[in-house]
Amino acid sequence: MNFSIEEGVLTGIIGRNGVGKTTLLKMIAGFLRESSGSVQVFGEKPFNNLKVSANMIFIDDAMNFPDAMTLQDILHECQRFYANWDAELADRLISYFGFHKDARHRFLSKGKKSTFNAVVGIAAHCPLTIFDEPTTGMDAAVRKDFYRALLKDYLNHPRTILLSSHHIEEIEDLLEDILLVHNGAVRFHGPITDLQEMFVSLQGTTELLALHVQKKNIISQQTLGPYPEWLVENTFTEDEISRIKADGIIISPVSANAAYIALTNKSKGAIDDVFDRTEIL
């Protein structure tokens, strides 16, 4: 795969489970050496690179800290280690999320560990900040607060942030760009608005839908209300859209999550096919 991430952009690294998001991010962070090709961060090879290490933080659910250190000790060492550390913000976030500063990291629940790690990632203000599935174990309310805190701090302190997830529906309002990885390649890389515009939803009678989507790529078909809804690749001209609307078909934009699913859908059919005993082998 080939791609370049611009400085100062909040980019979502999106893809299904097992496609290699974590491996990719660990190569960018300098934790893993690439087996082929070339990776450059800040214009240098990141593997075992002091410049990259000094200007980068990698947050995931596997982070651990020395058992003897309390959360207060960890925050104190973070202030000594990270040049842009925002101690006041860290203290406010720790207080907001209800941490006891004398607690030890290894005794925290899964969700509390992820929340504490996320606080460290936000307050470090590193030029390159990487969050790899940072919300593991967090409940819905805490996830919402984390995303809100990350966005507000990013707006106040712009920097390059990579945020990996396969739950795009939770972060699509947060992201500027998306790097969608699928089957070992970059399936899409660009503004999230461009991703949303790749497909449209059409709702109307089956006969009219079939008439207007001839020679178009139909992604999915479902019926949740009185009329079927088809997700179609958006290659329509302005004249075609006018004719669609004139026939009473409802044409709507789709969410980034719907577009993501369309781009990464399996070619084997739907889950219902697993239970279809009439399948011809």
Side-chain angles (χ1 to χ4, degrees), residues 47-252:
F47 183 70
N48 281 347
N49 186 302
L50 285 177
K51 178 181 178 181
V52 173
S53 296
N55 291 280
M56 182 277 306
I57 188 168
F58 185 96
I59 304 294
D60 68 356
D61 64 351
M63 283 187 77
N64 55 64
F65 300 92
D67 291 344
M69 297 175 66
T70 64
L71 300 186
Q72 179 64 60
D73 294 334
I74 294 171
L75 296 177
H76 177 70
E77 291 305 314
C78 286
Q79 185 170 8
R80 296 202 316 141
F81 187 81
Y82 295 108
N84 301 325
W85 180 258
D86 190 333
E88 182 181 346
L89 175 62
D91 286 341
R92 292 201 308 269
L93 288 172
I94 289 297
S95 175
Y96 176 81
F97 286 114
F99 287 98
H100 195 292
K101 290 187 177 181
D102 289 334
R104 282 174 166 75
H105 189 268
R106 75 184 184 98
F107 293 121
L108 298 176
S109 68
K110 182 72 170 178
K112 279 290 190 179
K113 284 181 181 178
S114 292
T115 306
F116 181 81
N117 298 348
V119 169
V120 172
I122 292 174
H125 286 174
C126 286
L128 174 58
T129 299
I130 300 175
F131 290 99
D132 185 20
E133 299 283 359
T135 60
T136 302
M138 293 184 190
D139 61 40
V142 175
R143 292 199 305 271
K144 184 177 179 180
D145 282 340
F146 161 66
Y147 294 134
R148 182 68 176 166
L150 179 62
L151 177 59
K152 289 179 73 69
D153 191 63
Y154 169 70
L155 294 175
N156 290 330
H157 303 278
R159 55 204 188 269
T160 305
I161 297 178
L162 307 182
L163 175 62
S164 86
S165 178
H166 52 272
H167 296 299
I168 191 173
E169 72 280 2
E170 292 189 350
I171 61 175
E172 61 180 284
D173 294 334
L174 178 73
L175 304 174
E176 294 175 287
D177 277 10
I178 282 182
L179 178 71
L180 198 165
V181 182
H182 186 61
N183 288 342
V186 174
R187 189 70 176 85
F188 174 86
H189 186 201
I192 192 167
T193 51
D194 289 354
L195 175 65
Q196 292 169 307
E197 292 171 359
M198 291 180 68
F199 306 93
V200 290
S201 168
L202 301 179
Q203 223 175 351
T205 65
T206 302
E207 294 77 12
L208 284 175
L209 290 178
L211 176 66
H212 286 284
V213 300
Q214 295 180 40
K215 299 181 180 179
K216 302 293 183 181
N217 186 15
I218 302 170
I219 306 301
S220 64
Q221 303 175 9
Q222 61 179 346
T223 303
L224 299 177
Y227 295 106
E229 180 181 5
W230 292 8
L231 185 67
V232 183
E233 188 174 354
N234 188 13
T235 57
F236 295 99
T237 65
E238 291 185 9
D239 287 342
E240 287 174 328
I241 291 175
S242 296
R243 289 196 294 270
I244 287 172
K245 291 180 177 179
D247 275 347
I249 295 175
I250 299 174
I251 181 168
S252 310

